[in-house]
Amino acid sequence: MGRQPLWRRVGFIPQVTYFKPAGVRLDKSEEICLVIEEAETIRLKDFEGLEHEECAQKMNISRTTFARVLNSARRKIADALLHGKAIRIEGGNFEMAARRFMCVNGHEWDVPFEVMINTSTQSCPTCNTPTVMPIWPWHPGWGTGSSGRRRREGRNW
Ligand SMILES: [Zn+2]
């Protein structure tokens, strides 16, 4: 086992993950990569308008870490806006605040993080089968090694 990654809890994954200045030809070096948890700090602090303390709690990280990630996110966005760079939102070390599950019979439901950590096994709330798997959101590394049915919902992740 290697070093434990630091999981930051996020409640939202942007649907649009690529922004590009109009009418400008860019090469790869002019692209800023914002990780998912950086986008989450912007959402909580700058969009929802929450206090640092509250944001840090929601993401399950310290205030210091929250401030650091937020500053990094703001600086990247400023760089892109001021210098005409593209922004790509992807990757990072994060865990979803809720996860969608599907059972073998095709029922789907959402499980909040707080419930997930208090319940070792999930079973389907509709038909009670214990054969269930997470289907959303897709995250690199999830579902590896399993031959379970994969739903992509038309998106390329
Ligand atoms: Zn079911």
Side-chain angles (χ1 to χ4, degrees), residues 63-79:
R63 280 186 55 154
T64 319
T65 303
F66 178 80
R68 185 163 44 78
V69 178
L70 176 65
N71 284 340
S72 163
R74 284 177 171 168
R75 188 160 195 287
K76 286 178 179 181
I77 292 168
D79 185 20

Side-chain angles (χ1 to χ4, degrees), residues 76-144:
K76 286 178 179 181
I77 292 168
D79 185 20
L81 289 180
L82 296 171
H83 304 125
K85 298 181 179 179
I87 301 175
R88 180 185 297 281
I89 305 177
E90 68 181 8
N93 293 318
F94 65 93
E95 177 67 77
M96 285 303 292
R99 190 177 291 182
R100 174 157 286 235
F101 284 83
M102 183 171 70
C103 81
V104 283
N105 299 316
H107 306 120
E108 293 181 17
W109 68 99
D110 293 319
V111 181
F113 190 86
E114 284 71 19
V115 174
M116 262 187 308
I117 55 177
N118 290 320
T119 321
S120 53
T121 53
Q122 296 291 336
S123 58
C124 175
T126 307
C127 68
N128 233 11
T129 175
T131 314
V132 305
M133 64 188 149
I135 57 168
W136 183 90
W138 284 107
H139 179 290
W142 284 0
T144 50

Side-chain angles (χ1 to χ4, degrees), residues 14-86:
Q15 297 295 297
V16 175
T17 55
Y18 194 74
F19 299 85
K20 182 183 177 300
V24 180
R25 199 178 283 275
L26 298 177
D27 65 41
K28 202 78 177 164
S29 67
E30 292 166 301
E31 189 178 289
I32 299 290
C33 185
L34 202 66
V35 296
I36 300 289
E37 63 264 31
E38 286 175 331
E40 179 74 350
T41 63
I42 294 289
R43 182 179 78 88
L44 294 173
K45 182 66 197 168
D46 295 337
F47 184 74
E48 301 286 345
L50 304 179
E51 297 301 324
H52 267 58
E53 185 66 47
E54 205 175 342
C55 297
Q57 275 176 16
K58 278 186 181 295
M59 293 183 71
N60 202 27
I61 56 182
S62 69
R63 280 186 55 154
T64 319
T65 303
F66 178 80
R68 185 163 44 78
V69 178
L70 176 65
N71 284 340
S72 163
R74 284 177 171 168
R75 188 160 195 287
K76 286 178 179 181
I77 292 168
D79 185 20
L81 289 180
L82 296 171
H83 304 125
K85 298 181 179 179

